[in-house]
Amino acid sequence: TNQQVTVTPPISAGEKGKASVQLVVNNSMLAPVAAGQPASPQIQIAIKNMATSQVFYFASNFSFEAFYSPDGAVDRSAFIDAWKNIDDGKELYSTMNDLPHSSTDIDQVQAKFEAFNIFFIARRQAMEGQEVVYFSMKTMGGMEFLAELTFKAGVNACKVCVKTESSSYGVHAKNAIENILRS
């Protein structure tokens, strides 16, 4: 969309300044992705100098978690139904080692995730002292992601599984979870 940013005071050549714009996302803004390929981790940006009409184009990597919407929470039964309906072939796994303590304490993980619109669904005990926690998230463009994290008491590691019908973006959702856990 076209947003005009007025920088006050104006920035002269060689100087630095700060400005911010509201992030607006809709599906028509997404570049087509070839089947079976991950989406690009970049956004394209254009800045036009209104005084000179010159346009500066560039691309920047983005933090996928910035696209998560505050309406991404689902109830437990809807989560279970969605999990069952997504083909197991659309699961993405990773194991994260050497996590900070704050990322192995499930209550602290929930608080971290909530700050990024990643919503707690359920928590259950599994065998061999493992605990499994489920989360949901949705982008502002409506893509939904489900996550399962497996922890074991006394171990600073976590197994991450992300399921989604938006498979081209699944790797970005998994990377977002990993980045938050590493912080």
mmCIF file with all atom_site columns, all heavy atoms in Angstrom, residues 68 103 107-120 135 137 147 149 151 160 176-181:
data_model
loop_
_atom_site.group_PDB
_atom_site.id
_atom_site.type_symbol
_atom_site.label_atom_id
_atom_site.label_alt_id
_atom_site.label_comp_id
_atom_site.label_asym_id
_atom_site.label_entity_id
_atom_site.label_seq_id
_atom_site.pdbx_PDB_ins_code
_atom_site.Cartn_x
_atom_site.Cartn_y
_atom_site.Cartn_z
_atom_site.occupancy
_atom_site.B_iso_or_equiv
_atom_site.pdbx_formal_charge
_atom_site.auth_seq_id
_atom_site.auth_comp_id
_atom_site.auth_asym_id
_atom_site.auth_atom_id
_atom_site.pdbx_PDB_model_num
ATOM 1   N N   . TYR A 1 68  ? 2.474  -12.348 12.744 1.00 0.00 ? 68  TYR A N   1
ATOM 2   C CA  . TYR A 1 68  ? 1.447  -13.072 13.498 1.00 0.00 ? 68  TYR A CA  1
ATOM 3   C C   . TYR A 1 68  ? 0.386  -12.119 14.016 1.00 0.00 ? 68  TYR A C   1
ATOM 4   O O   . TYR A 1 68  ? 0.678  -11.032 14.493 1.00 0.00 ? 68  TYR A O   1
ATOM 5   C CB  . TYR A 1 68  ? 2.068  -13.863 14.642 1.00 0.00 ? 68  TYR A CB  1
ATOM 6   C CG  . TYR A 1 68  ? 2.900  -15.040 14.183 1.00 0.00 ? 68  TYR A CG  1
ATOM 7   C CD1 . TYR A 1 68  ? 3.969  -15.481 14.939 1.00 0.00 ? 68  TYR A CD1 1
ATOM 8   C CD2 . TYR A 1 68  ? 2.617  -15.707 13.002 1.00 0.00 ? 68  TYR A CD2 1
ATOM 9   C CE1 . TYR A 1 68  ? 4.742  -16.560 14.528 1.00 0.00 ? 68  TYR A CE1 1
ATOM 10  C CE2 . TYR A 1 68  ? 3.388  -16.779 12.585 1.00 0.00 ? 68  TYR A CE2 1
ATOM 11  C CZ  . TYR A 1 68  ? 4.446  -17.199 13.352 1.00 0.00 ? 68  TYR A CZ  1
ATOM 12  O OH  . TYR A 1 68  ? 5.203  -18.262 12.946 1.00 0.00 ? 68  TYR A OH  1
ATOM 13  N N   . SER A 1 103 ? 14.114 -20.795 27.941 1.00 0.00 ? 103 SER A N   1
ATOM 14  C CA  . SER A 1 103 ? 13.469 -21.479 26.819 1.00 0.00 ? 103 SER A CA  1
ATOM 15  C C   . SER A 1 103 ? 13.272 -22.967 27.073 1.00 0.00 ? 103 SER A C   1
ATOM 16  O O   . SER A 1 103 ? 12.864 -23.701 26.181 1.00 0.00 ? 103 SER A O   1
ATOM 17  C CB  . SER A 1 103 ? 14.270 -21.266 25.541 1.00 0.00 ? 103 SER A CB  1
ATOM 18  O OG  . SER A 1 103 ? 14.193 -19.916 25.154 1.00 0.00 ? 103 SER A OG  1
ATOM 19  N N   . ASP A 1 107 ? 6.545  -22.434 31.329 1.00 0.00 ? 107 ASP A N   1
ATOM 20  C CA  . ASP A 1 107 ? 5.789  -21.227 31.676 1.00 0.00 ? 107 ASP A CA  1
ATOM 21  C C   . ASP A 1 107 ? 6.445  -19.986 31.056 1.00 0.00 ? 107 ASP A C   1
ATOM 22  O O   . ASP A 1 107 ? 5.757  -19.090 30.566 1.00 0.00 ? 107 ASP A O   1
ATOM 23  C CB  . ASP A 1 107 ? 5.678  -21.075 33.190 1.00 0.00 ? 107 ASP A CB  1
ATOM 24  C CG  . ASP A 1 107 ? 4.814  -22.172 33.815 1.00 0.00 ? 107 ASP A CG  1
ATOM 25  O OD1 . ASP A 1 107 ? 3.856  -22.616 33.150 1.00 0.00 ? 107 ASP A OD1 1
ATOM 26  O OD2 . ASP A 1 107 ? 5.111  -22.588 34.956 1.00 0.00 ? 107 ASP A OD2 1
ATOM 27  N N   . GLN A 1 108 ? 7.773  -19.935 31.069 1.00 0.00 ? 108 GLN A N   1
ATOM 28  C CA  . GLN A 1 108 ? 8.474  -18.799 30.461 1.00 0.00 ? 108 GLN A CA  1
ATOM 29  C C   . GLN A 1 108 ? 8.353  -18.818 28.933 1.00 0.00 ? 108 GLN A C   1
ATOM 30  O O   . GLN A 1 108 ? 8.243  -17.765 28.295 1.00 0.00 ? 108 GLN A O   1
ATOM 31  C CB  . GLN A 1 108 ? 9.940  -18.792 30.882 1.00 0.00 ? 108 GLN A CB  1
ATOM 32  C CG  . GLN A 1 108 ? 10.130 -18.425 32.350 1.00 0.00 ? 108 GLN A CG  1
ATOM 33  C CD  . GLN A 1 108 ? 11.591 -18.310 32.720 1.00 0.00 ? 108 GLN A CD  1
ATOM 34  O OE1 . GLN A 1 108 ? 12.380 -17.718 31.987 1.00 0.00 ? 108 GLN A OE1 1
ATOM 35  N NE2 . GLN A 1 108 ? 11.960 -18.872 33.866 1.00 0.00 ? 108 GLN A NE2 1
ATOM 36  N N   . VAL A 1 109 ? 8.360  -20.020 28.348 1.00 0.00 ? 109 VAL A N   1
ATOM 37  C CA  . VAL A 1 109 ? 8.168  -20.137 26.894 1.00 0.00 ? 109 VAL A CA  1
ATOM 38  C C   . VAL A 1 109 ? 6.784  -19.608 26.516 1.00 0.00 ? 109 VAL A C   1
ATOM 39  O O   . VAL A 1 109 ? 6.645  -18.846 25.549 1.00 0.00 ? 109 VAL A O   1
ATOM 40  C CB  . VAL A 1 109 ? 8.352  -21.598 26.414 1.00 0.00 ? 109 VAL A CB  1
ATOM 41  C CG1 . VAL A 1 109 ? 7.904  -21.754 24.961 1.00 0.00 ? 109 VAL A CG1 1
ATOM 42  C CG2 . VAL A 1 109 ? 9.799  -22.030 26.578 1.00 0.00 ? 109 VAL A CG2 1
ATOM 43  N N   . GLN A 1 110 ? 5.765  -19.977 27.274 1.00 0.00 ? 110 GLN A N   1
ATOM 44  C CA  . GLN A 1 110 ? 4.414  -19.487 27.003 1.00 0.00 ? 110 GLN A CA  1
ATOM 45  C C   . GLN A 1 110 ? 4.377  -17.963 27.026 1.00 0.00 ? 110 GLN A C   1
ATOM 46  O O   . GLN A 1 110 ? 3.767  -17.345 26.145 1.00 0.00 ? 110 GLN A O   1
ATOM 47  C CB  . GLN A 1 110 ? 3.429  -20.026 28.046 1.00 0.00 ? 110 GLN A CB  1
ATOM 48  C CG  . GLN A 1 110 ? 3.002  -21.442 27.811 1.00 0.00 ? 110 GLN A CG  1
ATOM 49  C CD  . GLN A 1 110 ? 2.011  -21.897 28.869 1.00 0.00 ? 110 GLN A CD  1
ATOM 50  O OE1 . GLN A 1 110 ? 2.275  -22.843 29.593 1.00 0.00 ? 110 GLN A OE1 1
ATOM 51  N NE2 . GLN A 1 110 ? 0.883  -21.244 28.951 1.00 0.00 ? 110 GLN A NE2 1
ATOM 52  N N   . ALA A 1 111 ? 5.021  -17.357 28.016 1.00 0.00 ? 111 ALA A N   1
ATOM 53  C CA  . ALA A 1 111 ? 5.036  -15.895 28.118 1.00 0.00 ? 111 ALA A CA  1
ATOM 54  C C   . ALA A 1 111 ? 5.776  -15.275 26.933 1.00 0.00 ? 111 ALA A C   1
ATOM 55  O O   . ALA A 1 111 ? 5.318  -14.284 26.355 1.00 0.00 ? 111 ALA A O   1
ATOM 56  C CB  . ALA A 1 111 ? 5.679  -15.470 29.440 1.00 0.00 ? 111 ALA A CB  1
ATOM 57  N N   . LYS A 1 112 ? 6.918  -15.863 26.558 1.00 0.00 ? 112 LYS A N   1
ATOM 58  C CA  . LYS A 1 112 ? 7.668  -15.365 25.392 1.00 0.00 ? 112 LYS A CA  1
ATOM 59  C C   . LYS A 1 112 ? 6.798  -15.429 24.145 1.00 0.00 ? 112 LYS A C   1
ATOM 60  O O   . LYS A 1 112 ? 6.714  -14.469 23.373 1.00 0.00 ? 112 LYS A O   1
ATOM 61  C CB  . LYS A 1 112 ? 8.907  -16.235 25.131 1.00 0.00 ? 112 LYS A CB  1
ATOM 62  C CG  . LYS A 1 112 ? 10.125 -15.914 25.901 1.00 0.00 ? 112 LYS A CG  1
ATOM 63  C CD  . LYS A 1 112 ? 11.261 -16.807 25.355 1.00 0.00 ? 112 LYS A CD  1
ATOM 64  C CE  . LYS A 1 112 ? 12.526 -16.686 26.119 1.00 0.00 ? 112 LYS A CE  1
ATOM 65  N NZ  . LYS A 1 112 ? 13.633 -17.425 25.509 1.00 0.00 ? 112 LYS A NZ  1
ATOM 66  N N   . PHE A 1 113 ? 6.177  -16.574 23.927 1.00 0.00 ? 113 PHE A N   1
ATOM 67  C CA  . PHE A 1 113 ? 5.378  -16.774 22.721 1.00 0.00 ? 113 PHE A CA  1
ATOM 68  C C   . PHE A 1 113 ? 4.170  -15.844 22.686 1.00 0.00 ? 113 PHE A C   1
ATOM 69  O O   . PHE A 1 113 ? 3.821  -15.310 21.632 1.00 0.00 ? 113 PHE A O   1
ATOM 70  C CB  . PHE A 1 113 ? 4.926  -18.227 22.620 1.00 0.00 ? 113 PHE A CB  1
ATOM 71  C CG  . PHE A 1 113 ? 5.973  -19.175 22.104 1.00 0.00 ? 113 PHE A CG  1
ATOM 72  C CD1 . PHE A 1 113 ? 7.285  -18.790 21.907 1.00 0.00 ? 113 PHE A CD1 1
ATOM 73  C CD2 . PHE A 1 113 ? 5.634  -20.484 21.809 1.00 0.00 ? 113 PHE A CD2 1
ATOM 74  C CE1 . PHE A 1 113 ? 8.243  -19.675 21.427 1.00 0.00 ? 113 PHE A CE1 1
ATOM 75  C CE2 . PHE A 1 113 ? 6.575  -21.381 21.326 1.00 0.00 ? 113 PHE A CE2 1
ATOM 76  C CZ  . PHE A 1 113 ? 7.878  -20.969 21.142 1.00 0.00 ? 113 PHE A CZ  1
ATOM 77  N N   . GLU A 1 114 ? 3.525  -15.656 23.821 1.00 0.00 ? 114 GLU A N   1
ATOM 78  C CA  . GLU A 1 114 ? 2.343  -14.797 23.867 1.00 0.00 ? 114 GLU A CA  1
ATOM 79  C C   . GLU A 1 114 ? 2.679  -13.383 23.381 1.00 0.00 ? 114 GLU A C   1
ATOM 80  O O   . GLU A 1 114 ? 1.872  -12.741 22.714 1.00 0.00 ? 114 GLU A O   1
ATOM 81  C CB  . GLU A 1 114 ? 1.783  -14.752 25.286 1.00 0.00 ? 114 GLU A CB  1
ATOM 82  C CG  . GLU A 1 114 ? 0.448  -14.058 25.375 1.00 0.00 ? 114 GLU A CG  1
ATOM 83  C CD  . GLU A 1 114 ? -0.138 -14.142 26.780 1.00 0.00 ? 114 GLU A CD  1
ATOM 84  O OE1 . GLU A 1 114 ? -0.057 -15.218 27.407 1.00 0.00 ? 114 GLU A OE1 1
ATOM 85  O OE2 . GLU A 1 114 ? -0.680 -13.117 27.242 1.00 0.00 ? 114 GLU A OE2 1
ATOM 86  N N   . ALA A 1 115 ? 3.874  -12.910 23.696 1.00 0.00 ? 115 ALA A N   1
ATOM 87  C CA  . ALA A 1 115 ? 4.298  -11.576 23.265 1.00 0.00 ? 115 ALA A CA  1
ATOM 88  C C   . ALA A 1 115 ? 4.380  -11.469 21.741 1.00 0.00 ? 115 ALA A C   1
ATOM 89  O O   . ALA A 1 115 ? 4.354  -10.366 21.195 1.00 0.00 ? 115 ALA A O   1
ATOM 90  C CB  . ALA A 1 115 ? 5.654  -11.233 23.898 1.00 0.00 ? 115 ALA A CB  1
ATOM 91  N N   . PHE A 1 116 ? 4.475  -12.618 21.053 1.00 0.00 ? 116 PHE A N   1
ATOM 92  C CA  . PHE A 1 116 ? 4.562  -12.639 19.585 1.00 0.00 ? 116 PHE A CA  1
ATOM 93  C C   . PHE A 1 116 ? 3.290  -13.197 18.936 1.00 0.00 ? 116 PHE A C   1
ATOM 94  O O   . PHE A 1 116 ? 3.319  -13.617 17.779 1.00 0.00 ? 116 PHE A O   1
ATOM 95  C CB  . PHE A 1 116 ? 5.770  -13.476 19.143 1.00 0.00 ? 116 PHE A CB  1
ATOM 96  C CG  . PHE A 1 116 ? 7.085  -12.825 19.437 1.00 0.00 ? 116 PHE A CG  1
ATOM 97  C CD1 . PHE A 1 116 ? 7.785  -13.133 20.593 1.00 0.00 ? 116 PHE A CD1 1
ATOM 98  C CD2 . PHE A 1 116 ? 7.619  -11.889 18.574 1.00 0.00 ? 116 PHE A CD2 1
ATOM 99  C CE1 . PHE A 1 116 ? 8.997  -12.533 20.869 1.00 0.00 ? 116 PHE A CE1 1
ATOM 100 C CE2 . PHE A 1 116 ? 8.838  -11.272 18.851 1.00 0.00 ? 116 PHE A CE2 1
ATOM 101 C CZ  . PHE A 1 116 ? 9.521  -11.599 20.001 1.00 0.00 ? 116 PHE A CZ  1
ATOM 102 N N   . ASN A 1 117 ? 2.194  -13.235 19.686 1.00 0.00 ? 117 ASN A N   1
ATOM 103 C CA  . ASN A 1 117 ? 0.914  -13.764 19.177 1.00 0.00 ? 117 ASN A CA  1
ATOM 104 C C   . ASN A 1 117 ? 1.004  -15.241 18.793 1.00 0.00 ? 117 ASN A C   1
ATOM 105 O O   . ASN A 1 117 ? 0.417  -15.682 17.804 1.00 0.00 ? 117 ASN A O   1
ATOM 106 C CB  . ASN A 1 117 ? 0.392  -12.933 18.001 1.00 0.00 ? 117 ASN A CB  1
ATOM 107 C CG  . ASN A 1 117 ? 0.000  -11.539 18.430 1.00 0.00 ? 117 ASN A CG  1
ATOM 108 O OD1 . ASN A 1 117 ? -0.584 -11.349 19.487 1.00 0.00 ? 117 ASN A OD1 1
ATOM 109 N ND2 . ASN A 1 117 ? 0.343  -10.557 17.633 1.00 0.00 ? 117 ASN A ND2 1
ATOM 110 N N   . ILE A 1 118 ? 1.750  -15.996 19.585 1.00 0.00 ? 118 ILE A N   1
ATOM 111 C CA  . ILE A 1 118 ? 1.788  -17.455 19.475 1.00 0.00 ? 118 ILE A CA  1
ATOM 112 C C   . ILE A 1 118 ? 1.058  -17.966 20.708 1.00 0.00 ? 118 ILE A C   1
ATOM 113 O O   . ILE A 1 118 ? 1.482  -17.718 21.831 1.00 0.00 ? 118 ILE A O   1
ATOM 114 C CB  . ILE A 1 118 ? 3.239  -17.985 19.414 1.00 0.00 ? 118 ILE A CB  1
ATOM 115 C CG1 . ILE A 1 118 ? 3.960  -17.389 18.198 1.00 0.00 ? 118 ILE A CG1 1
ATOM 116 C CG2 . ILE A 1 118 ? 3.247  -19.507 19.376 1.00 0.00 ? 118 ILE A CG2 1
ATOM 117 C CD1 . ILE A 1 118 ? 5.439  -17.738 18.122 1.00 0.00 ? 118 ILE A CD1 1
ATOM 118 N N   . PHE A 1 119 ? -0.066 -18.645 20.479 1.00 0.00 ? 119 PHE A N   1
ATOM 119 C CA  . PHE A 1 119 ? -1.015 -18.911 21.550 1.00 0.00 ? 119 PHE A CA  1
ATOM 120 C C   . PHE A 1 119 ? -0.948 -20.335 22.088 1.00 0.00 ? 119 PHE A C   1
ATOM 121 O O   . PHE A 1 119 ? -0.956 -21.304 21.321 1.00 0.00 ? 119 PHE A O   1
ATOM 122 C CB  . PHE A 1 119 ? -2.433 -18.598 21.066 1.00 0.00 ? 119 PHE A CB  1
ATOM 123 C CG  . PHE A 1 119 ? -2.580 -17.156 20.689 1.00 0.00 ? 119 PHE A CG  1
ATOM 124 C CD1 . PHE A 1 119 ? -2.436 -16.749 19.379 1.00 0.00 ? 119 PHE A CD1 1
ATOM 125 C CD2 . PHE A 1 119 ? -2.813 -16.194 21.656 1.00 0.00 ? 119 PHE A CD2 1
ATOM 126 C CE1 . PHE A 1 119 ? -2.546 -15.411 19.021 1.00 0.00 ? 119 PHE A CE1 1
ATOM 127 C CE2 . PHE A 1 119 ? -2.926 -14.857 21.320 1.00 0.00 ? 119 PHE A CE2 1
ATOM 128 C CZ  . PHE A 1 119 ? -2.790 -14.462 20.000 1.00 0.00 ? 119 PHE A CZ  1
ATOM 129 N N   . PHE A 1 120 ? -0.915 -20.437 23.411 1.00 0.00 ? 120 PHE A N   1
ATOM 130 C CA  . PHE A 1 120 ? -0.908 -21.709 24.119 1.00 0.00 ? 120 PHE A CA  1
ATOM 131 C C   . PHE A 1 120 ? -2.253 -22.410 23.922 1.00 0.00 ? 120 PHE A C   1
ATOM 132 O O   . PHE A 1 120 ? -3.308 -21.812 24.046 1.00 0.00 ? 120 PHE A O   1
ATOM 133 C CB  . PHE A 1 120 ? -0.659 -21.465 25.617 1.00 0.00 ? 120 PHE A CB  1
ATOM 134 C CG  . PHE A 1 120 ? -0.821 -22.686 26.457 1.00 0.00 ? 120 PHE A CG  1
ATOM 135 C CD1 . PHE A 1 120 ? 0.168  -23.647 26.492 1.00 0.00 ? 120 PHE A CD1 1
ATOM 136 C CD2 . PHE A 1 120 ? -1.966 -22.871 27.219 1.00 0.00 ? 120 PHE A CD2 1
ATOM 137 C CE1 . PHE A 1 120 ? 0.025  -24.787 27.274 1.00 0.00 ? 120 PHE A CE1 1
ATOM 138 C CE2 . PHE A 1 120 ? -2.116 -24.001 27.999 1.00 0.00 ? 120 PHE A CE2 1
ATOM 139 C CZ  . PHE A 1 120 ? -1.122 -24.963 28.033 1.00 0.00 ? 120 PHE A CZ  1
ATOM 140 N N   . PHE A 1 135 ? 0.811  -25.088 20.474 1.00 0.00 ? 135 PHE A N   1
ATOM 141 C CA  . PHE A 1 135 ? 0.580  -23.669 20.242 1.00 0.00 ? 135 PHE A CA  1
ATOM 142 C C   . PHE A 1 135 ? -0.047 -23.470 18.864 1.00 0.00 ? 135 PHE A C   1
ATOM 143 O O   . PHE A 1 135 ? 0.128  -24.300 17.975 1.00 0.00 ? 135 PHE A O   1
ATOM 144 C CB  . PHE A 1 135 ? 1.905  -22.886 20.281 1.00 0.00 ? 135 PHE A CB  1
ATOM 145 C CG  . PHE A 1 135 ? 2.581  -22.898 21.617 1.00 0.00 ? 135 PHE A CG  1
ATOM 146 C CD1 . PHE A 1 135 ? 3.520  -23.877 21.919 1.00 0.00 ? 135 PHE A CD1 1
ATOM 147 C CD2 . PHE A 1 135 ? 2.287  -21.937 22.565 1.00 0.00 ? 135 PHE A CD2 1
ATOM 148 C CE1 . PHE A 1 135 ? 4.154  -23.891 23.154 1.00 0.00 ? 135 PHE A CE1 1
ATOM 149 C CE2 . PHE A 1 135 ? 2.918  -21.938 23.796 1.00 0.00 ? 135 PHE A CE2 1
ATOM 150 C CZ  . PHE A 1 135 ? 3.851  -22.921 24.096 1.00 0.00 ? 135 PHE A CZ  1
ATOM 151 N N   . MET A 1 137 ? -0.774 -20.259 15.781 1.00 0.00 ? 137 MET A N   1
ATOM 152 C CA  . MET A 1 137 ? -0.517 -18.900 15.335 1.00 0.00 ? 137 MET A CA  1
ATOM 153 C C   . MET A 1 137 ? -1.120 -18.730 13.950 1.00 0.00 ? 137 MET A C   1
ATOM 154 O O   . MET A 1 137 ? -1.319 -19.697 13.223 1.00 0.00 ? 137 MET A O   1
ATOM 155 C CB  . MET A 1 137 ? 0.966  -18.535 15.344 1.00 0.00 ? 137 MET A CB  1
ATOM 156 C CG  . MET A 1 137 ? 1.901  -19.493 14.696 1.00 0.00 ? 137 MET A CG  1
ATOM 157 S SD  . MET A 1 137 ? 2.479  -20.662 15.914 1.00 0.00 ? 137 MET A SD  1
ATOM 158 C CE  . MET A 1 137 ? 3.672  -21.551 14.966 1.00 0.00 ? 137 MET A CE  1
ATOM 159 N N   . ALA A 1 147 ? 1.834  -25.797 16.255 1.00 0.00 ? 147 ALA A N   1
ATOM 160 C CA  . ALA A 1 147 ? 3.158  -26.198 16.719 1.00 0.00 ? 147 ALA A CA  1
ATOM 161 C C   . ALA A 1 147 ? 3.057  -27.136 17.908 1.00 0.00 ? 147 ALA A C   1
ATOM 162 O O   . ALA A 1 147 ? 2.173  -26.993 18.754 1.00 0.00 ? 147 ALA A O   1
ATOM 163 C CB  . ALA A 1 147 ? 3.980  -24.970 17.100 1.00 0.00 ? 147 ALA A CB  1
ATOM 164 N N   . LEU A 1 149 ? 5.781  -28.628 20.761 1.00 0.00 ? 149 LEU A N   1
ATOM 165 C CA  . LEU A 1 149 ? 7.128  -28.549 21.336 1.00 0.00 ? 149 LEU A CA  1
ATOM 166 C C   . LEU A 1 149 ? 7.246  -29.615 22.409 1.00 0.00 ? 149 LEU A C   1
ATOM 167 O O   . LEU A 1 149 ? 6.352  -29.750 23.247 1.00 0.00 ? 149 LEU A O   1
ATOM 168 C CB  . LEU A 1 149 ? 7.389  -27.172 21.944 1.00 0.00 ? 149 LEU A CB  1
ATOM 169 C CG  . LEU A 1 149 ? 7.816  -26.064 20.980 1.00 0.00 ? 149 LEU A CG  1
ATOM 170 C CD1 . LEU A 1 149 ? 6.741  -25.735 19.989 1.00 0.00 ? 149 LEU A CD1 1
ATOM 171 C CD2 . LEU A 1 149 ? 8.229  -24.836 21.747 1.00 0.00 ? 149 LEU A CD2 1
ATOM 172 N N   . PHE A 1 151 ? 9.597  -31.118 25.486 1.00 0.00 ? 151 PHE A N   1
ATOM 173 C CA  . PHE A 1 151 ? 10.658 -30.810 26.436 1.00 0.00 ? 151 PHE A CA  1
ATOM 174 C C   . PHE A 1 151 ? 10.887 -32.006 27.343 1.00 0.00 ? 151 PHE A C   1
ATOM 175 O O   . PHE A 1 151 ? 9.987  -32.812 27.553 1.00 0.00 ? 151 PHE A O   1
ATOM 176 C CB  . PHE A 1 151 ? 10.263 -29.620 27.325 1.00 0.00 ? 151 PHE A CB  1
ATOM 177 C CG  . PHE A 1 151 ? 10.047 -28.344 26.572 1.00 0.00 ? 151 PHE A CG  1
ATOM 178 C CD1 . PHE A 1 151 ? 8.790  -28.011 26.082 1.00 0.00 ? 151 PHE A CD1 1
ATOM 179 C CD2 . PHE A 1 151 ? 11.092 -27.462 26.360 1.00 0.00 ? 151 PHE A CD2 1
ATOM 180 C CE1 . PHE A 1 151 ? 8.580  -26.831 25.400 1.00 0.00 ? 151 PHE A CE1 1
ATOM 181 C CE2 . PHE A 1 151 ? 10.892 -26.274 25.677 1.00 0.00 ? 151 PHE A CE2 1
ATOM 182 C CZ  . PHE A 1 151 ? 9.636  -25.959 25.193 1.00 0.00 ? 151 PHE A CZ  1
ATOM 183 N N   . VAL A 1 160 ? 10.908 -29.404 18.041 1.00 0.00 ? 160 VAL A N   1
ATOM 184 C CA  . VAL A 1 160 ? 9.887  -28.526 17.468 1.00 0.00 ? 160 VAL A CA  1
ATOM 185 C C   . VAL A 1 160 ? 9.250  -29.225 16.272 1.00 0.00 ? 160 VAL A C   1
ATOM 186 O O   . VAL A 1 160 ? 9.955  -29.762 15.418 1.00 0.00 ? 160 VAL A O   1
ATOM 187 C CB  . VAL A 1 160 ? 10.502 -27.180 17.007 1.00 0.00 ? 160 VAL A CB  1
ATOM 188 C CG1 . VAL A 1 160 ? 9.464  -26.298 16.321 1.00 0.00 ? 160 VAL A CG1 1
ATOM 189 C CG2 . VAL A 1 160 ? 11.161 -26.457 18.168 1.00 0.00 ? 160 VAL A CG2 1
ATOM 190 N N   . ALA A 1 176 ? 10.751 -18.964 13.039 1.00 0.00 ? 176 ALA A N   1
ATOM 191 C CA  . ALA A 1 176 ? 10.307 -17.941 13.996 1.00 0.00 ? 176 ALA A CA  1
ATOM 192 C C   . ALA A 1 176 ? 10.279 -18.513 15.413 1.00 0.00 ? 176 ALA A C   1
ATOM 193 O O   . ALA A 1 176 ? 10.762 -17.878 16.359 1.00 0.00 ? 176 ALA A O   1
ATOM 194 C CB  . ALA A 1 176 ? 8.935  -17.405 13.603 1.00 0.00 ? 176 ALA A CB  1
ATOM 195 N N   . ILE A 1 177 ? 9.741  -19.718 15.552 1.00 0.00 ? 177 ILE A N   1
ATOM 196 C CA  . ILE A 1 177 ? 9.709  -20.363 16.863 1.00 0.00 ? 177 ILE A CA  1
ATOM 197 C C   . ILE A 1 177 ? 11.137 -20.578 17.372 1.00 0.00 ? 177 ILE A C   1
ATOM 198 O O   . ILE A 1 177 ? 11.452 -20.278 18.532 1.00 0.00 ? 177 ILE A O   1
ATOM 199 C CB  . ILE A 1 177 ? 8.939  -21.698 16.792 1.00 0.00 ? 177 ILE A CB  1
ATOM 200 C CG1 . ILE A 1 177 ? 7.445  -21.407 16.654 1.00 0.00 ? 177 ILE A CG1 1
ATOM 201 C CG2 . ILE A 1 177 ? 9.223  -22.579 18.009 1.00 0.00 ? 177 ILE A CG2 1
ATOM 202 C CD1 . ILE A 1 177 ? 6.590  -22.623 16.419 1.00 0.00 ? 177 ILE A CD1 1
ATOM 203 N N   . GLU A 1 178 ? 12.000 -21.049 16.509 1.00 0.00 ? 178 GLU A N   1
ATOM 204 C CA  . GLU A 1 178 ? 13.396 -21.282 16.898 1.00 0.00 ? 178 GLU A CA  1
ATOM 205 C C   . GLU A 1 178 ? 14.075 -19.986 17.326 1.00 0.00 ? 178 GLU A C   1
ATOM 206 O O   . GLU A 1 178 ? 14.800 -19.956 18.334 1.00 0.00 ? 178 GLU A O   1
ATOM 207 C CB  . GLU A 1 178 ? 14.164 -21.928 15.747 1.00 0.00 ? 178 GLU A CB  1
ATOM 208 C CG  . GLU A 1 178 ? 13.722 -23.336 15.432 1.00 0.00 ? 178 GLU A CG  1
ATOM 209 C CD  . GLU A 1 178 ? 14.325 -23.902 14.153 1.00 0.00 ? 178 GLU A CD  1
ATOM 210 O OE1 . GLU A 1 178 ? 14.994 -23.152 13.401 1.00 0.00 ? 178 GLU A OE1 1
ATOM 211 O OE2 . GLU A 1 178 ? 14.096 -25.085 13.909 1.00 0.00 ? 178 GLU A OE2 1
ATOM 212 N N   . ASN A 1 179 ? 13.846 -18.896 16.585 1.00 0.00 ? 179 ASN A N   1
ATOM 213 C CA  . ASN A 1 179 ? 14.465 -17.610 16.932 1.00 0.00 ? 179 ASN A CA  1
ATOM 214 C C   . ASN A 1 179 ? 13.991 -17.107 18.291 1.00 0.00 ? 179 ASN A C   1
ATOM 215 O O   . ASN A 1 179 ? 14.788 -16.585 19.073 1.00 0.00 ? 179 ASN A O   1
ATOM 216 C CB  . ASN A 1 179 ? 14.162 -16.554 15.857 1.00 0.00 ? 179 ASN A CB  1
ATOM 217 C CG  . ASN A 1 179 ? 14.860 -16.845 14.555 1.00 0.00 ? 179 ASN A CG  1
ATOM 218 O OD1 . ASN A 1 179 ? 15.860 -17.566 14.516 1.00 0.00 ? 179 ASN A OD1 1
ATOM 219 N ND2 . ASN A 1 179 ? 14.333 -16.327 13.465 1.00 0.00 ? 179 ASN A ND2 1
ATOM 220 N N   . ILE A 1 180 ? 12.708 -17.266 18.558 1.00 0.00 ? 180 ILE A N   1
ATOM 221 C CA  . ILE A 1 180 ? 12.176 -16.825 19.845 1.00 0.00 ? 180 ILE A CA  1
ATOM 222 C C   . ILE A 1 180 ? 12.750 -17.695 20.973 1.00 0.00 ? 180 ILE A C   1
ATOM 223 O O   . ILE A 1 180 ? 13.125 -17.180 22.030 1.00 0.00 ? 180 ILE A O   1
ATOM 224 C CB  . ILE A 1 180 ? 10.637 -16.851 19.843 1.00 0.00 ? 180 ILE A CB  1
ATOM 225 C CG1 . ILE A 1 180 ? 10.096 -15.822 18.835 1.00 0.00 ? 180 ILE A CG1 1
ATOM 226 C CG2 . ILE A 1 180 ? 10.088 -16.560 21.238 1.00 0.00 ? 180 ILE A CG2 1
ATOM 227 C CD1 . ILE A 1 180 ? 8.625  -15.972 18.526 1.00 0.00 ? 180 ILE A CD1 1
ATOM 228 N N   . LEU A 1 181 ? 12.837 -18.995 20.751 1.00 0.00 ? 181 LEU A N   1
ATOM 229 C CA  . LEU A 1 181 ? 13.390 -19.871 21.774 1.00 0.00 ? 181 LEU A CA  1
ATOM 230 C C   . LEU A 1 181 ? 14.859 -19.555 22.055 1.00 0.00 ? 181 LEU A C   1
ATOM 231 O O   . LEU A 1 181 ? 15.326 -19.661 23.182 1.00 0.00 ? 181 LEU A O   1
ATOM 232 C CB  . LEU A 1 181 ? 13.259 -21.340 21.364 1.00 0.00 ? 181 LEU A CB  1
ATOM 233 C CG  . LEU A 1 181 ? 11.848 -21.926 21.445 1.00 0.00 ? 181 LEU A CG  1
ATOM 234 C CD1 . LEU A 1 181 ? 11.816 -23.318 20.806 1.00 0.00 ? 181 LEU A CD1 1
ATOM 235 C CD2 . LEU A 1 181 ? 11.355 -21.983 22.886 1.00 0.00 ? 181 LEU A CD2 1
#
